Amino acid sequence: MKITTPRRLLATAVLALTAMAGGAVPGQAETAPAQRAAAALPAGYQVLRGGPATVDNFTRLTLACPAGKVIVGGGADIQSPGGGVLLGSFPSNVGGVYQWNVVARQEKQAQVTTYGYAVCVDSAALPGYQIVRVPAAEVANGASRQATCPAGKVVVGGGAEAQGASAALRFSTSPRPKGTDYLWTASGRSLAGTTVGLAVDAICANPIPGYEIVESAATETPNLTRRGQACPTGKTALSGGAGGYNTAILTSMLPELIDAASGYRWAAAVREPARAGAISSVTAICTNLT
């Protein structure tokens, strides 16, 4: 199906589940190895991966949490990196089913290939859970918008969607400036215009044991270099975010397993359309692992 109006999501596809590691049957998701020996993890902690899926540009791909679970994080890994553009990586609740959504496109081609990721936990593990959404609005290139958690709650995850025929996500991450642990902030840009549509989501909950936000230093690397931010010893990534500086745009942002003892880190890649290198940083929102 051809997407004729890229500002709207006219097509939706469900990502088939695959295992994060060997040993699981396709169509099922494997529990993170760390969970087997780590009772301190939020109950039902589970990382799902879907794909790869090759779809028309601007198609929304969805990955749903199992019944009784809520979404706390997620991401995407575009497999067409040279001209791959990440437009959206964000949570939603459709008919009581919590899911992660991915929207991407491939420059100069009609289709794009991507993986999708979702991090889920039992609903009872996050008292006060809610998704706060700031609906899409047109903003200037590079401008940021924020979704704010209610008083007494912290941000445990979040997402954003840039909208427009030439749109791209610039960053989608936990708080800036530091110390504002109740915000999710995002920015987008149009690669061929001066404004971009931008919606932002914050996933909020009451404070949880071991809650901590860590961020890598802003560093310049060759385009599409995968960077990761691990949590401190004894903690694992519940969710995370990333961003490009100047005119850099996101091409991937996802949970990445370190090993069974260390749990997950958050990883991302960016590219600068007019340069060979780009400046980026990665953020991980952490919870107790052991």
Side-chain angles (χ1 to χ4, degrees):
M1 182 178 79
K2 181 177 179 59
I3 307 297
T4 56
T5 311
R7 272 299 302 267
R8 301 179 58 197
L9 299 173
L10 300 182
T12 302
V14 177
L15 283 162
L17 294 181
T18 59
M20 283 295 295
V25 176
Q28 297 178 342
E30 180 171 320
T31 300
Q35 183 177 344
R36 300 173 186 147
L41 277 169
Y45 177 96
Q46 189 176 43
V47 178
L48 312 179
R49 183 179 72 176
T54 299
V55 295
D56 290 349
N57 288 343
F58 303 99
T59 298
R60 178 186 292 185
L61 299 171
T62 64
L63 190 60
C65 289
K69 297 191 178 187
V70 294
I71 192 80
V72 291
D77 189 12
I78 299 175
Q79 298 298 294
S80 310
V85 179
L86 181 60
L87 288 85
S89 181
F90 58 96
S92 63
N93 180 356
V94 179
V97 176
Y98 289 93
Q99 58 193 24
W100 198 261
N101 305 271
V102 173
V103 184
R105 64 183 178 87
Q106 172 77 1
E107 291 188 301
K108 300 180 180 180
Q109 295 188 30
Q111 293 189 315
V112 63
T113 299
T114 186
Y115 284 95
Y117 295 79
V119 185
C120 310
V121 301
D122 290 349
S123 59
L126 290 177
Y129 178 93
Q130 69 181 107
I131 298 174
V132 176
R133 181 168 180 83
V134 176
E138 202 78 10
V139 298
N141 272 351
S144 62
R145 304 187 73 202
Q146 296 175 328
T148 305
C149 293
K153 297 185 180 183
V154 295
V155 63
V156 295
E161 181 186 12
Q163 298 180 353
S166 59
L169 269 181
R170 180 169 164 255
F171 63 77
S172 177
T173 191
S174 43
R176 293 182 180 188
K178 292 182 181 298
T180 50
D181 58 3
Y182 52 87
L183 296 175
W184 192 269
T185 183
S187 174
R189 60 184 297 260
S190 169
L191 302 186
T194 59
T195 64
V196 63
L198 185 65
V200 188
D201 299 272
I203 304 173
C204 309
N206 296 345
I208 58 176
Y211 178 85
E212 182 177 1
I213 299 173
V214 293
E215 184 178 20
S216 66
T219 303
E220 182 167 7
T221 59
N223 281 346
L224 305 176
T225 300
R226 178 74 62 85
R227 299 189 64 204
Q229 175 60 54
C231 291
T233 302
K235 299 183 181 185
T236 189
L238 189 65
S239 64
Y245 289 73
N246 302 321
T247 57
I249 58 175
L250 286 164
T251 61
S252 67
M253 186 169 52
L254 64 148
E256 190 171 70
L257 183 64
I258 301 171
D259 55 49
S262 304
Y264 284 85
R265 69 174 190 169
W266 215 257
V270 303
R271 66 180 175 89
E272 186 89 49
R275 297 177 61 244
I279 301 173
S280 66
S281 63
V282 184
T283 301
I285 298 179
C286 308
T287 187
N288 284 344
L289 174 65
T290 56

